Amino acid sequence: ALEGVTFVDGDVTADDALREAATRFDVDVIVHMAALLPSACRDDPQRAQAVNIGGTVAAFEAGLATETRVLYTSTKAVFGEISGRHAHPTYDPIGADAPKNPKNNYSVTKLACEGFAQFYRERGLECAGLRFSSTYGPGKGDAHGSLAYLPELIRRAAAGERIRITGADQRNDFIYYGD
């Protein structure tokens, strides 16, 4: 447990439960990080829509109803494949207003959430989204599948297994959970 932080276990798509929790605990900020990951989105598109988009809209509704700021997560995947000057060998930073080209339904749901954020900002909600790059840290493992790249490298090294890294010219930003 973190001092000053209250965790509420519930259904992210339940508008009333989110609104009630925001009211009961008199929160300053709703931090919405719940989402289905790419493989789960691919396997169940309807659930992906319900959780990723519906859960975010529920968080926005709770924020609007209780006049509470909302911080939500998006992803660099909304840009699609990175190319041109943003790719090898220069890796120029990508601006927030760069063209979006989502390539799978996970990134489509995240881009839709960004659109809903704009809608709710126009209605008076103070909200912001974070487009995370690749994350790592305690708890990232099997449930994250191929997204658990660094933990898999560490697991293999600790087990004395051979490690093979391909795509040496590729570059990625990694964000540690603690940061």
Side-chain angles (χ1 to χ4, degrees):
L2 299 171
E3 188 177 325
V5 176
T6 302
F7 292 92
V8 177
D9 185 13
D11 183 347
V12 70
T13 64
D15 295 12
D16 293 340
L18 288 171
R19 191 172 17 256
E20 190 272 324
T23 301
R24 179 168 37 124
F25 294 107
D26 190 32
V27 299
D28 296 319
V29 179
I30 296 169
V31 180
H32 169 58
M33 298 181 74
L36 292 183
L37 297 171
S39 60
C41 288
R42 180 193 63 239
D43 294 345
D44 192 344
Q46 289 181 316
R47 183 155 166 69
Q49 181 276 329
V51 172
N52 292 8
I53 299 172
T56 302
V57 168
F60 292 158
E61 283 289 329
L64 194 62
T66 61
E67 298 181 359
T68 305
R69 294 175 291 165
V70 177
L71 182 64
Y72 71 98
T73 57
S74 187
T75 174
K76 69 176 183 175
V78 298
F79 296 114
E81 186 175 331
I82 307 302
S83 61
R85 64 185 176 87
H86 305 293
H88 179 74
T90 56
Y91 303 106
D92 286 346
I94 299 171
D97 58 348
K100 313 309 179 288
N101 190 21
K103 295 293 185 185
N104 57 42
N105 65 337
Y106 168 75
S107 52
V108 166
T109 65
K110 290 301 196 171
L111 185 56
C113 292
E114 292 185 17
F116 275 106
Q118 181 60 39
F119 170 76
Y120 279 93
R121 275 192 292 275
E122 291 169 1
R123 294 178 66 196
L125 177 65
E126 187 178 341
C127 64
L130 303 173
R131 285 192 191 126
F132 286 127
S133 184
S134 299
T135 61
Y136 70 100
K140 187 153 192 174
D142 292 342
H144 291 85
S146 65
L147 300 176
Y149 181 71
L150 290 180
E152 181 60 16
L153 288 179
I154 293 166
R155 185 200 64 74
R156 287 181 181 205
E161 297 176 16
R162 184 176 176 172
I163 299 172
R164 180 184 165 118
I165 299 174
T166 60
D169 288 339
Q170 295 180 10
R171 186 168 154 183
N172 198 351
D173 294 321
F174 289 96
I175 300 170
Y176 180 66
Y177 289 163
D179 294 337

